[in-house]
Amino acid sequence: MHHYSWNEKVTFRRFVEVCQRRIQEALLRYRWQEAAELLRNYFQSLEDKTTFQRRWAPEVIWRMGTEILLHHPETRDDDINSFHGQMKNIGLKIYLKVCLEHAFHMLCGGNLDEAHRGLTVAESWRYGGTYSQQELLKFIQAYRALLDYCTWCKKRSMMSKEDLEDHTETTVSQDLHNYFRQAFVTMQEIFKNPGVWDPFVISCVDMLEFYEDHEEALKLLEFYAYDKLFVPNPNAFVYLYTFLKKHQAEEKAIMKVLKKSRNIAS
């Protein structure tokens, strides 16, 4: 292994700084090919053994590389998959961020199964256990559960009318219920955390209504709308109002939701 002299280290760091500035300039001017070529050189910054570079270089490379791949006219799925694979290997501290970003890319391409596999692997990953990583892990779990819901919807749409009307435990209905349990249990844990969980709440309500558990669905919607754990969210009251109207609730209950919603809006 080559050991750098002090002068070589200074020269190397200057090269890294200049390279980064040139990449940023190329990005600002939409010169994607130039930025891509410079980024290959910038990968050498990983050789810098200073604490700062060792900590931040992978994230800088990941952010700039993602921007280039998203805009480069000749980007292929293989390029994106290869880049994310590299970043997962060299950036332990950003591993969960990279996994989540990669899953979003696969979702945009309609690759739900691959996205689900990636999030499942990420969900079992443990490194450091810092607060920020624990927060990211919650998002990983939430989106994996949302993909379980998507699979549940797909399987529900493939069921025959006879399967839907048959209330006995068949292989088809059991398979469907397994995905419901996977999604529902995880989402219930997610709802214990502050946040705006609109698509996840709607998903849970959809599944609960399918199984005719209207009481549990109403309980969830009221919790999401009224509990002080969550910031005031007009959408939560829209979901609750829509549910009450659909199930012909008492006018008094509906008016209560409308008044609360108006107070938030004002």
Side-chain angles (χ1 to χ4, degrees), residues 42-57:
Y42 190 75
F43 259 95
Q44 294 179 45
S45 64
L46 296 172
E47 296 179 17
D48 192 326
K49 300 304 180 184
T50 61
T51 301
F52 178 81
Q53 286 294 343
R54 192 166 58 235
R55 180 178 180 183
W56 293 110

Side-chain angles (χ1 to χ4, degrees), residues 71-85:
H71 293 92
H72 197 294
E74 297 181 11
T75 296
R76 301 167 302 172
D77 284 343
D78 287 347
D79 298 325
I80 294 176
N81 292 336
S82 175
F83 177 72
H84 280 99

Side-chain angles (χ1 to χ4, degrees), residues 258-266:
L258 287 174
K259 288 179 181 178
K260 184 66 176 179
S261 178
R262 186 179 62 182
N263 291 339
I264 292 176
S266 60

Side-chain angles (χ1 to χ4, degrees), residues 55 58-59 62-63 81 83-104 106 114-130 132-134 136-137 140:
R55 180 178 180 183
E59 181 154 6
W62 169 58
R63 289 186 181 279
N81 292 336
F83 177 72
H84 280 99
Q86 281 182 287
M87 297 315 304
K88 289 174 187 178
N89 288 329
I90 65 176
L92 290 178
K93 290 184 180 297
I94 61 168
Y95 178 85
L96 294 178
K97 291 181 183 179
V98 174
C99 288
L100 198 55
E101 176 81 29
H102 194 197
F104 287 152
M106 288 187 284
E114 290 182 29
H116 187 278
R117 278 194 292 272
L119 292 175
T120 301
V121 171
E123 195 175 352
S124 63
W125 185 83
R126 297 291 183 273
Y127 176 82
T130 63
S132 61
Q133 288 172 328
Q134 291 301 314
L136 275 170
L137 191 58
I140 295 284

